[in-house]
Amino acid sequence: MRMMRIITTLLYSVLLWCSPVLQAASSGWQQAKHLQAELVSEYQSVQAGQSLLLALHFIPDEHWHTYWINPGDSGLPTSIDWQLPEGVVAGAIQWPTPQFFSIPPMMNYGFAGPTILLTELTIPANFNQSELVIAAKVDWLVCEEICIPAEASFSLTIPVSHNAARSEQTAALITQAKSKLSQRLPLVGQYDIAGGSFSAAVAGLPDEDFQSFFVAATELVDHAAPQQLLFSEGEWLLRQKLNTYFTAAPEQFELVLVTANGQGYSLTLKAADNISATGGLADGATGSAQALWLVLLMAAAGGFILNLMPCVFPVLSLKALSIASNTGQRQQQKTDALWYSLGVVLSFLALAAVLLGLRAAGAAVGWGFQLQSPLLVAALAYLLFVLGLSLSGLVQFGLGLMNAGGGLTQQKGAKGSFFTGVLAVVVASPCTAPFMGGALGYAVTQPPILALLVFVALGLGMALPFILLAYIPALARLLPKPGAWMETLKQLLAYPLYLSAIWLAWVFGRQTGIDALALLLCGAVALAAACWLWGRWQLQRQGIAEPIFTVLLVVLALWLVWFATPAGPSATVTSQATASHWQSWSAEKQAQLQAAGQPVLVNMTADWCITCLVNERVALNTDSSKAALALYDVTYLKGDWTRRDAAITAYLHQYQRDGVPLYVLYWPGQPAEVLPQILTPDQGGNILCLKINQTIFLP
């Protein structure tokens, strides 16, 4: 086929050389990588005062494509820079009806196969030159699995006479191009932005079965998100999630509706009157001061509640010991609270900066991204295990070798308080407390300064209980006086740390496999031996054998983890649907189920998210939930975000979330319903039945 195309091109070039009439109507072919192009004129001779069409004709290689004016999640639209005689005006490109190109988790808009882009030229009535000299510089991007940018220059010289003459040789190409255009309708619809979604209403459309739509505005909709089209009371209602990077609502833009047989219809959409120029509802939209304060309040509330999450509470035992020991020292309590708060806030800012930086570089990451790294999970498991050994009295940190690790959190004064705050944030990040989801989703769609401000509010909310205890005497008086009981409390508080270390070891095993988990546990034994040796040396302060063997054992523990951790995402151990009431999630499976009219419940979870695991155990995996799923024939899909998964990250962004858990219920013909982040035992089957009933029966 490629050889036939080359032969055809050569024959066409010979005809161009031999025929001056045809030469006036075509620039000749330009050959580029995986694409050839020519510029073609509707007329072989023109006259002053007329209009004519020029066609940019692309023929890409098989499986390669170019892009529409809105390329979707990636790509670039074709652009034409015209150089024309004075007074001659070129209109905008007349685009054919685009196609979808799904490259999960992205969706692109463009054209496969031969493509013709039309542009209308208008010649002024006083044009007095003998020839119309047309030059165009064209830039395009052609893609398959890789993308290749290219540019080319085209020129046409068309005689100007008293009688214009169409080109018979190019007439078929122009006719073909016109047939591919979307039919223009003299309609103006309205669109709105609310609840994180784009929605539009259009009346007066032809009696057609519309299946999909394309918006010409970039960064408005989430291109990969499911589209909803519903005909009701003479109007077509359209809905799609907002783009993650949405910032402003355009006053108007082009909409293309496509029927089941591929026919496109284009019209204009204008912003509803209640949408502000900055892209939100005028009475309190995203970006307004009122909305910002609400988000900051939500972030602070989420940080406050984060202290009660099971993944954070064990680490706070370290801070509880500090408070108990300083009960009678008011100034010391205040100082410790401030340093702890500084550690919390700066850690949140550091995590936010890394998160925003990785996302700006194109990485598909979200909140809790650091615990998607098995190496960091293993390091945290070791750290909490060693801290537990210290609280149990096996070793005392604060001097020498281990000062840079666990001892930092147990030192008295500013340094100990600061690093306790750091550790609390690192361990807290897998949890998403109530109010946090919306605040984090807002933060990652805003400019960096606003995003960092949200994370500062989150950190202040998390530190607030200790600030209140330090600065409100009435609360401080409720604390018990220091005494011998503190040593017992210290030893008891070691056990939550051991349990946290076990949880992290389990997460590591889920990420890497049972063999790697065994090596991690061997490393933990080596660390315990190192702590024992170091504790003996602390009592005697003699010889160098213990310090040397301590160092060797620590190195052995770290090497075992490094050796046990496979490189790359291929090492991911994905969750298997061991229970019959759920299946593994994929965007394709969800789309197929929705296309078939099947109700779907999506659960985005991760093994390191304790909130997720508790919700599943007490609510979603109960007999009542299973009965509700079976009763309404709902397909339950679970997405595993334990290791990094770009498709799940993109799905979370559809709902302005940057972390798990996320529960979404889809019912045919109805908007998606997001369930609460925290589920209680009595909410399991009950809340599922309630949401389904609301979806089915409420208007």
Side-chain angles (χ1 to χ4, degrees):
M1 177 178 289
R2 183 175 177 85
M3 181 59 68
M4 288 297 296
R5 197 185 69 182
I6 293 174
I7 293 173
T8 302
T9 302
L10 289 174
L11 291 174
Y12 196 85
S13 299
V14 171
L15 287 173
L16 289 177
W17 180 263
C18 298
S19 173
V21 173
L22 185 57
Q23 189 173 3
S26 173
S27 66
W29 290 100
Q30 296 272 6
Q31 187 69 44
K33 287 186 177 181
H34 300 290
L35 183 143
Q36 58 179 342
E38 65 169 340
L39 184 64
V40 171
S41 170
E42 179 185 14
Y43 284 80
Q44 63 187 21
S45 65
V46 295
Q47 63 184 20
Q50 78 162 91
S51 297
L52 71 153
L53 289 173
L54 296 180
L56 181 62
H57 186 196
F58 284 151
I59 302 182
D61 286 351
E62 189 175 4
H63 305 306
W64 291 73
H65 61 270
T66 54
Y67 291 94
W68 189 48
I69 185 173
N70 176 9
D73 288 322
S74 65
L76 291 171
T78 300
S79 64
I80 307 175
D81 181 17
W82 296 101
Q83 292 89 46
L84 303 169
E86 185 177 358
V88 179
V89 178
I93 294 176
Q94 300 177 27
W95 300 90
T97 301
Q99 305 162 251
F100 293 103
F101 293 94
S102 178
I103 308 173
M106 299 185 298
M107 180 69 74
N108 295 333
Y109 302 159
F111 314 100
T115 304
I116 309 167
L117 305 181
L118 294 178
T119 302
E120 185 177 49
L121 256 62
T122 303
I123 306 172
N126 61 351
F127 190 77
N128 57 8
Q129 299 182 27
S130 60
E131 291 180 329
L132 175 61
V133 180
I134 301 168
K137 180 183 176 183
V138 181
D139 291 271
W140 68 80
L141 186 68
V142 61
C143 297
E144 190 200 25
E145 292 182 354
I146 62 172
C147 291
I148 300 176
E151 64 178 39
S153 296
F154 301 87
S155 63
L156 282 172
T157 301
I158 304 176
V160 179
S161 64
H162 296 293
N163 296 308
R166 294 182 184 273
S167 170
E168 296 181 3
Q169 291 84 358
T170 61
L173 189 68
I174 299 296
T175 301
Q176 178 187 353
K178 291 179 178 179
S179 69
K180 298 290 185 180
L181 296 177
S182 300
Q183 184 175 333
R184 180 67 189 174
L185 300 175
L187 300 175
V188 177
Q190 278 200 329
Y191 82 94
D192 198 355
I193 293 169
S197 294
F198 155 85
S199 58
V202 184
L205 289 170
D207 186 14
E208 296 275 9
D209 180 19
F210 294 104
Q211 298 290 311
S212 60
F213 61 86
F214 298 86
V215 296
T218 58
E219 296 187 356
L220 175 60
V221 300
D222 186 334
H223 306 99
Q227 295 182 340
Q228 298 175 353
L229 296 91
L230 178 67
F231 185 75
S232 176
E233 299 181 358
E235 285 187 324
W236 275 95
L237 307 177
L238 317 176
R239 185 179 175 87
Q240 193 170 16
K241 286 294 177 183
L242 281 180
N243 194 290
T244 302
Y245 304 103
F246 168 76
T247 55
E251 291 186 7
Q252 66 178 51
F253 56 87
E254 205 74 6
L255 172 78
V256 176
L257 285 157
V258 184
T259 66
N261 62 7
Q263 174 62 49
Y265 292 87
S266 65
L267 55 99
T268 299
L269 280 185
K270 286 190 174 182
D273 294 338
N274 63 328
I275 295 186
S276 68
T278 56
L281 297 181
D283 59 354
T286 299
S288 68
Q290 181 181 356
L292 177 59
W293 280 110
L294 178 60
V295 170
L296 293 178
L297 184 61
M298 290 173 57
F304 185 88
I305 298 173
L306 204 55
N307 289 287
L308 304 178
M309 294 292 103
C311 50
V312 184
F313 191 75
V315 179
L316 297 185
S317 61
L318 301 172
K319 189 60 185 169
L321 284 174
S322 173
I323 293 176
S325 63
N326 292 328
T327 300
Q329 304 174 32
R330 300 283 298 126
Q331 188 57 41
Q332 185 63 42
Q333 281 188 341
K334 293 179 180 180
T335 301
D336 286 353
L338 291 178
W339 278 104
Y340 172 80
S341 302
L342 183 63
V344 169
V345 172
L346 290 183
S347 299
F348 269 116
L349 286 175
L351 279 176
V354 174
L355 172 64
L356 296 174
L358 289 174
R359 290 174 61 121
V365 296
W367 185 241
F369 69 95
Q370 68 275 19
L371 287 193
Q372 293 175 327
S373 166
L375 284 175
L376 184 55
V377 171
L380 284 173
Y382 279 171
L383 177 58
L384 294 183
F385 178 60
V386 169
L387 288 175
L389 293 177
S390 178
L391 292 182
S392 295
L394 186 65
V395 63
Q396 295 296 323
F397 292 130
L399 298 171
L401 175 69
M402 302 296 290
N403 187 48
L408 288 172
T409 64
Q410 291 191 294
Q411 294 182 25
K412 294 183 178 180
K415 187 182 291 186
S417 297
F418 180 85
F419 281 98
T420 301
V422 172
L423 181 60
V425 172
V426 173
V427 179
S429 58
C431 289
T432 303
F435 306 112
M436 273 185 62
L440 291 176
Y442 172 90
V444 297
T445 63
Q446 300 304 308
I449 296 299
L450 288 181
L452 294 177
L453 189 60
V454 173
F455 283 94
V456 168
L458 187 61
L460 290 175
M462 185 173 178
L464 184 60
F466 299 102
I467 295 176
L468 295 177
L469 283 171
Y471 282 86
I472 299 180
L475 292 176
R477 283 193 291 269
L478 297 177
L479 298 174
K481 300 296 181 182
W485 61 269
M486 288 178 53
E487 184 62 27
T488 303
L489 175 64
K490 174 183 174 182
Q491 295 177 8
L492 287 175
L493 289 177
Y495 292 96
L497 293 177
Y498 292 141
L499 291 174
S500 297
I502 291 173
W503 158 62
L504 288 167
W506 175 76
V507 172
F508 179 83
R510 295 281 289 177
Q511 292 174 329
T512 58
I514 190 66
D515 294 339
L517 176 59
L519 292 176
L520 175 74
L521 296 178
C522 290
V525 173
L527 280 180
C531 291
W532 173 69
L533 286 173
W534 189 252
R536 282 168 53 91
W537 184 84
Q538 284 180 320
L539 294 176
Q540 301 170 1
R541 299 284 176 172
Q542 295 179 357
I544 62 171
E546 285 90 347
I548 291 176
F549 279 106
T550 297
V551 172
L552 292 176
L553 287 169
V554 171
V555 171
L556 174 63
L558 297 176
W559 180 83
L560 286 172
V561 168
W562 182 267
F563 178 78
T565 306
S570 60
T572 302
V573 179
T574 56
S575 299
Q576 300 297 320
T578 55
S580 59
H581 76 294
W582 66 270
Q583 303 175 33
S584 296
W585 176 89
S586 70
E588 295 78 9
K589 182 180 295 184
Q590 179 186 331
Q592 291 172 0
L593 291 168
Q594 289 185 262
Q598 178 75 28
V600 179
L601 174 65
V602 173
N603 169 16
M604 290 303 176
T605 183
D607 289 337
W608 40 258
C609 172
I610 293 185
T611 306
C612 306
L613 302 179
V614 172
N615 281 344
E616 291 184 28
R617 179 63 59 88
V618 305
L620 294 177
N621 290 345
T622 62
D623 291 339
S624 58
S625 291
K626 294 176 182 178
L629 293 170
L631 177 63
Y632 294 101
D633 194 24
V634 178
T635 301
Y636 178 21
L637 301 180
K638 283 176 61 175
D640 187 359
W641 208 41
T642 303
R643 292 289 294 269
R644 187 176 301 175
D645 188 312
I648 293 178
T649 304
Y651 180 90
L652 294 172
H653 292 170
Q654 294 178 24
Y655 293 92
Q656 289 72 55
R657 294 289 178 84
D658 216 52
V660 290
L662 174 64
Y663 310 107
V664 186
L665 176 64
Y666 299 88
W667 197 267
Q670 299 292 336
E673 180 75 19
V674 178
L675 275 63
Q677 288 178 284
I678 304 296
L679 303 177
T680 58
D682 61 340
Q683 285 180 318
N686 293 339
I687 195 170
L688 188 58
C689 289
L690 175 62
K691 292 298 181 183
I692 293 174
N693 287 333
Q694 287 177 341
T695 302
I696 298 173
F697 299 115
L698 294 183

